[in-house]
Amino acid sequence: MSYYIWLIFGVIAFVIEMMIPTFFALFAGVGFLAAAAVSFFLPESLFWQLIIASVFMIIGAVVFKKRGMGDDTQDSVGTHNEFVGIKGVATTELSAHQEGEVSLYEPVLGGRHWPAVSVDGVIEVNAEIRIVKLNGNSLIVEKI
């Protein structure tokens, strides 16, 4: 197979990787580019081109998995857990069963005032709080 066909496959794989960032197409693209290099130097050896493409794809996937690059358990920016740890002050009394309001020191999604409930116990007015998690449109907070 001609080297430019392998290059076209490689470019298509990289474009797919940019549109769907799963790292699946990245390894295919690297394998296709390696096969293009083999095809450039050995244009009549389709067997070796396929072997090299397969080996590079498999090695890329194995190294990626061994390093645990896709196993990140932290939430990325844009998810609700990025707000965990932000501090503020209770503007009304809060409890686990009674929703109140808190004022945050830094705005979350453009607002400083949010409805909130306590993780456990009562939180008095003007007590300093920290976001533990988000439940719908309400913050779940703890007293610091």
Side-chain angles (χ1 to χ4, degrees):
M1 192 177 341
S2 184
Y3 73 93
Y4 62 85
I5 294 173
W6 287 112
L7 287 174
I8 291 170
F9 285 154
V11 169
I12 289 170
F14 286 128
V15 168
I16 290 171
E17 180 61 41
M18 285 187 275
M19 292 182 346
I20 308 168
T22 60
F23 289 107
F24 168 74
L26 176 70
F27 304 126
V30 170
F32 291 146
L33 293 181
V38 170
S39 176
F40 184 76
F41 294 110
L42 302 169
E44 299 299 321
S45 63
L46 180 61
F47 173 76
W48 283 110
Q49 294 169 27
L50 293 173
I51 293 297
I52 292 297
S54 300
V55 166
F56 271 81
M57 288 179 205
I58 292 169
I59 288 174
V62 167
V63 167
F64 182 79
K65 186 62 180 168
K66 288 277 187 196
R67 291 193 175 192
M69 295 163 111
D71 299 337
D72 191 12
T73 58
Q74 292 181 341
D75 293 285
S76 59
V77 173
T79 62
H80 65 278
N81 286 337
E82 72 179 288
F83 308 129
V84 171
I86 293 177
K87 297 176 183 176
V89 63
T91 55
T92 62
E93 189 174 275
L94 308 170
S95 73
H97 306 291
Q98 177 186 358
E99 187 174 90
E101 189 175 278
V102 295
S103 178
L104 302 174
Y105 295 144
E106 57 185 277
V108 171
L109 298 175
R112 291 185 184 270
H113 298 283
W114 282 80
V117 295
S118 170
V119 173
D120 57 352
V122 175
I123 299 177
E124 307 83 29
V125 177
N126 294 328
E128 195 171 31
I129 55 93
R130 175 180 30 236
I131 299 174
V132 176
K133 65 181 177 178
L134 189 70
N135 185 15
N137 289 334
S138 294
L139 303 176
I140 299 177
V141 298
E142 66 183 0
K143 186 175 178 180
I144 300 178

